[in-house]
Amino acid sequence: MIDLLPRTSLANADDRTLAGRAADGDLRAFEVILRRHGPLMRAYATRVLGSNDETDDVVQEAFIVAWRQLPNLENTVALKSWLLRIVTNKSIDRVRARRHHADIDELEFERPDGETAATAMEATSLDEALSAALSTLPEDQRRCWMLREIAGYSYDDIAEQLGLPHSTIRGILARARKSLVIQMEGWR
């Protein structure tokens, strides 16, 4: 492949350009994608997993899937949200695998300093209740809520990623929050 962009220009290229080049096999473009979106994916996976222990593995698995599936990505403008969707799925798969573990004695749990068994159990129950409540939301509400509350996106960033008007994002988030408040009433 002939390199038409100098190395410095590649670092400043937009996601669409990088995704297109990486889909064509340009490893340097994919490296820029890794550096640009890796920290957010890592933070997001850590939040979903609840610890740093498996985060690097999940992010690495997500990038492997991304590298293989990038040629099939139709909307390269939505690269960031696509990557977050992959890391979300990988993180959820990892959480599910923990729940179906055959022998509880093989699991190792680290308790933060000062945390009692009761507070750890309460936090786990809260996470499970929130996960269950999120799973009942329509896809657009769940995606908007996760991007806002977990990934820390602004309304404008969410609108850009999902290709929807800012006002629509506000409405979707309002409906998601209302539904979650009702479902999580027992935790107030």
Side-chain angles (χ1 to χ4, degrees):
M1 172 183 274
I2 299 172
D3 192 6
L4 301 175
L5 288 176
R7 191 171 290 268
T8 56
S9 294
L10 194 57
N12 297 324
D14 63 8
D15 281 351
R16 182 178 183 180
T17 302
L18 292 170
R21 289 184 59 135
D24 289 338
D26 186 339
L27 286 173
R28 286 195 349 223
F30 194 69
E31 288 174 13
V32 173
I33 292 171
L34 289 170
R35 283 191 302 276
R36 183 176 293 171
H37 298 293
L40 174 62
M41 292 173 68
R42 191 171 196 298
Y44 191 76
T46 300
R47 175 67 179 117
V48 173
L49 294 168
S51 74
N52 287 324
D53 296 341
E54 300 170 294
T55 300
D56 290 333
D57 292 339
V58 167
V59 172
Q60 183 176 8
E61 290 171 17
F63 275 125
I64 290 169
V65 168
W67 174 252
R68 290 180 181 152
Q69 296 299 319
L70 204 48
N72 302 327
L73 179 63
E74 292 178 19
N75 184 6
T76 55
V77 174
L79 177 67
K80 187 193 300 186
S81 63
W82 180 70
L83 291 170
L84 284 174
R85 195 171 332 120
I86 294 171
V87 82
T88 297
N89 292 338
K90 290 294 179 187
S91 298
I92 290 170
D93 289 347
R94 191 64 66 110
V95 169
R96 285 183 184 140
R98 281 189 218 147
R99 290 184 183 155
H100 299 320
H101 201 278
D103 187 0
I104 192 74
D105 294 330
E106 292 179 21
L107 293 175
E108 295 180 25
F109 298 101
E110 291 184 27
R111 216 179 267 155
D113 293 338
E115 183 178 60
T116 66
T119 57
M121 183 182 288
E122 184 177 331
T124 300
S125 294
L126 176 60
D127 283 347
E128 289 173 358
L130 180 58
S131 293
L134 285 169
S135 71
T136 66
L137 293 178
E139 179 67 23
D140 62 339
Q141 290 181 21
R142 182 173 47 255
R143 286 178 64 198
C144 285
W145 190 89
M146 296 283 280
L147 288 171
R148 177 71 179 153
E149 303 301 332
I150 305 294
Y153 278 32
S154 70
Y155 286 85
D156 291 332
D157 290 340
I158 296 169
E160 180 183 327
Q161 288 300 313
L162 300 181
L164 297 170
H166 186 273
S167 59
T168 302
I169 297 300
R170 293 181 71 80
I172 290 171
L173 279 169
R175 287 188 297 280
R177 288 176 178 140
K178 181 178 180 181
S179 180
L180 289 173
V181 163
I182 292 167
Q183 292 186 53
M184 299 297 291
E185 184 64 35
W187 288 95
R188 292 180 98 191

